[in-house]
C-alpha cells in the first residue's frame, strides 16, 4: 500500500457537507477512502454524497447534531453498521457567534464550545474503542488561526479553538500505544459559508486578510485536501499531537 493510499479505509467527516469539511472529504475520496458525511442539513449532505460518489467513492450521509451525545454515538454506530469499520475521524463541524466577551451570553458561549470543542471530545471518545480494536486509526481536529491568536469579536470561538489544540495533544499522548495518531489542522482564512458571513459582520476583514496573508488570497476547500490525506494516511504514522497551519503564511508574520 502506498504511503498516501486510503483504499479500504472509512472516514467520518463531521460538517462534511460543505466548506472545509467537503474539501477534505473530496481529498480523502480521491485517495480511495469511503466517506461518511455527518451533519444536520440532509439536503446539503445528500448533494455532498452525490458529489463524492461522482468522484468514484463509496459515500453515505448520516444526520448528526454534534452537540448531542446520543446523536454522536449513533453516528459511529451507523457507520459501523454500513461499513463495518471506522479508520479516520475528522472533527470539523464548527460555528461562531461574533460578539465581544461583554456582549456574549452564557447560552451563546455554551453553543460555540459545545459545537467546536465538546463535540470533538464526544466523537473521539466514541471512536476510540473501535479504532483500538481495529489496531489503529487517525483523528484530525480542526483548529483555527484563533488557536494561536485572539480576536475581540471571538471569545468563545478562540477558547474552543485553543482548547482543541490542547485536547489533540492529550489524546495523542493517551492513544499513541493504541496506534491512533491525533493531530490538529489550523486553517487560515478559507472562503466558506462561515467566512462569507464573517466578511459581512466584521468590517475590513476581507482587506485585512489579504494584507496579512503572504499568499495574497483566501484559501479554498481544495487547499485543505492535501493535509487531510497526509494526516489520514500511513505517511503520517509518526506524526501525532501536532497542529499544522494551512494558512498561506498568515501565521508567520504580524
Ligand atoms: P461552514 O459553515 O461551511 O461549515 C460548517 C459545518 O459544520 C457545516 O457542514 C455544518 O453542517 C456543520 N455543523 C455546524 N454545527 C453542527 C452541529 N451542531 N452538528 C453537526 N454539524 C454541524 O464552515 P467552514 O467550512 O468554514 O468550517 C469548518 C470548520 O473549519 C469549523 O470548525 C471552523 O471553525 C473551521 N475553520 C474555518 C475557517 C475558515 O476560514 N473558513 C478558518 C479556521 C477554522 P450543517 O449545518 O448541515 O449541520
Amino acid at each position: 500500500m502506498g504511503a498516501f493510499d486510503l483504499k479500504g479505509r472509512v472516514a467520518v467527516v463531521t460538517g462534511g457537507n460543505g466548506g472545509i469539511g467537503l474539501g477534505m472529504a473530496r481529498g480523502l475520496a480521491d485517495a480511495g477512502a469511503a466517506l461518511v458525511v455527518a451533519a444536520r442539513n440532509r439536503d446539503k449532505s445528500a448533494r455532498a454524497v452525490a458529489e463524492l460518489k461522482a468522484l468514484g467513492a463509496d459515500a453515505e450521509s448520516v444526520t448528526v447534531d454534534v452537540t448531542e451525545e446520543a446523536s454522536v454515538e449513533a453516528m459511529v454506530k451507523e457507520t459501523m453498521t454500513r461499513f463495518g469499520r471506522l479508520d479516520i475521524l475528522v472533527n470539523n463541524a464548527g460555528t461562531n457567534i461574533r460578539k465581544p466577551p461583554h456582549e456574549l451570553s452564557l447560552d451563546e458561549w455554551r453553543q460555540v464550545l459545545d459545537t467546536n470543542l465538546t463535540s470533538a471530545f464526544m466523537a473521539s471518545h466514541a471512536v476510540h474503542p473501535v479504532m483500538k480494536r481495529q489496531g489503529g486509526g487517525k483523528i484530525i481536529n480542526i483548529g483555527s488561526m484563533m488557536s494561536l491568536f485572539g480576536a475581540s469579536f471571538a471569545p468563545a470561538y478562540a477558547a474552543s479553538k485553543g482548547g482543541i489544540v490542547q485536547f489533540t495533544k492529550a489524546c495523542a499522548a493517551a492513544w499513541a500505544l493504541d496506534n491512533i495518531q491525533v493531530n490538529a489542522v489550523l486553517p487560515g482564512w478559507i472562503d466558506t459559508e462561515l467566512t462569507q458571513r464573517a466578511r459581512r459582520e466584521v468590517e475590513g476583514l476581507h482587506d485585512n486578510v489579504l494584507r496579512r496573508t503572504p499568499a495574497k488570497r483566501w484559501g479554498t476547500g481544495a487547499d485543505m485536501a492535501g493535509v487531510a490525506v497526509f494526516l489520514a494516511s500511513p505517511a503520517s504514522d509518526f506524526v501525532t499531537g501536532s497542529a499544522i497551519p494551512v494558512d498561506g503564511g498568515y501565521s508567520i508574520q504580524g
Side-chain angles (χ1 to χ4, degrees):
M1 185 189 251
F4 296 95
D5 190 355
L6 297 180
K7 268 190 214 78
R9 306 288 165 101
V10 176
V12 174
V13 183
T14 69
N17 61 9
I20 289 175
L22 183 53
M24 290 189 158
R26 284 194 199 105
L28 298 174
D30 207 35
L35 266 299
V36 174
V37 170
R40 294 165 303 179
N41 185 322
R42 289 164 196 260
D43 292 343
K44 225 172 129 184
S45 294
R47 285 196 296 276
V49 164
E51 200 184 304
L52 295 167
K53 282 187 170 162
L55 291 175
D58 195 358
E60 199 76 64
S61 68
V62 169
T63 305
V64 66
D65 181 343
V66 296
T67 66
E68 299 289 338
E69 189 179 21
S71 184
V72 170
E73 284 170 359
M75 169 184 83
V76 174
K77 227 176 234 164
E78 281 181 49
T79 302
M80 294 305 289
T81 304
R82 167 67 173 81
F83 291 101
R85 56 186 299 121
L86 199 170
D87 305 279
I88 301 152
L89 169 68
V90 184
N91 285 313
N92 163 79
T95 192
N96 195 2
I97 297 173
R98 294 178 190 85
K99 288 182 181 177
H102 50 280
E103 287 177 14
L104 196 74
S105 71
L106 182 57
D107 274 355
E108 290 169 329
W109 167 272
R110 287 196 171 125
Q111 193 184 323
V112 174
L113 268 289
D114 283 356
T115 308
N116 296 1
L117 182 59
T118 309
S119 60
F121 163 68
M122 291 191 293
S124 304
H125 191 268
V127 301
H128 173 254
V130 175
M131 290 181 172
K132 185 174 173 168
R133 197 167 59 238
Q134 288 174 188
K138 303 280 189 176
I139 299 177
I140 303 170
N141 295 321
I142 307 306
S144 160
M145 289 296 101
M146 302 277 172
S147 301
L148 307 171
F149 309 114
S152 60
F153 56 85
Y157 187 83
S160 71
K161 295 299 188 179
I164 206 103
V165 169
Q166 299 307 103
F167 176 64
T168 297
K169 293 176 189 170
C171 293
W175 298 339
L177 293 183
D178 298 328
N179 191 29
I180 300 168
Q181 289 80 46
V182 188
N183 291 286
V185 174
L186 314 184
W189 289 90
I190 314 298
D191 188 12
T192 66
E193 277 178 28
L194 191 74
T195 47
Q196 289 287 345
R197 210 178 74 219
R199 277 189 248 195
R200 291 194 296 274
E201 290 176 0
V202 183
E203 206 188 318
L205 178 65
H206 178 70
D207 292 339
N208 286 339
V209 167
L210 291 186
R211 191 168 53 244
R212 186 165 164 181
T213 305
K216 294 293 171 223
R217 67 171 177 87
W218 285 65
T220 64
D223 286 320
M224 309 305 298
V227 74
V229 172
F230 171 61
L231 291 177
S233 70
S236 61
D237 278 356
F238 202 53
V239 180
T240 199
S242 75
I244 303 177
V246 180
D247 65 349
Y250 183 91
S251 59
I252 60 170
Q253 59 181 18

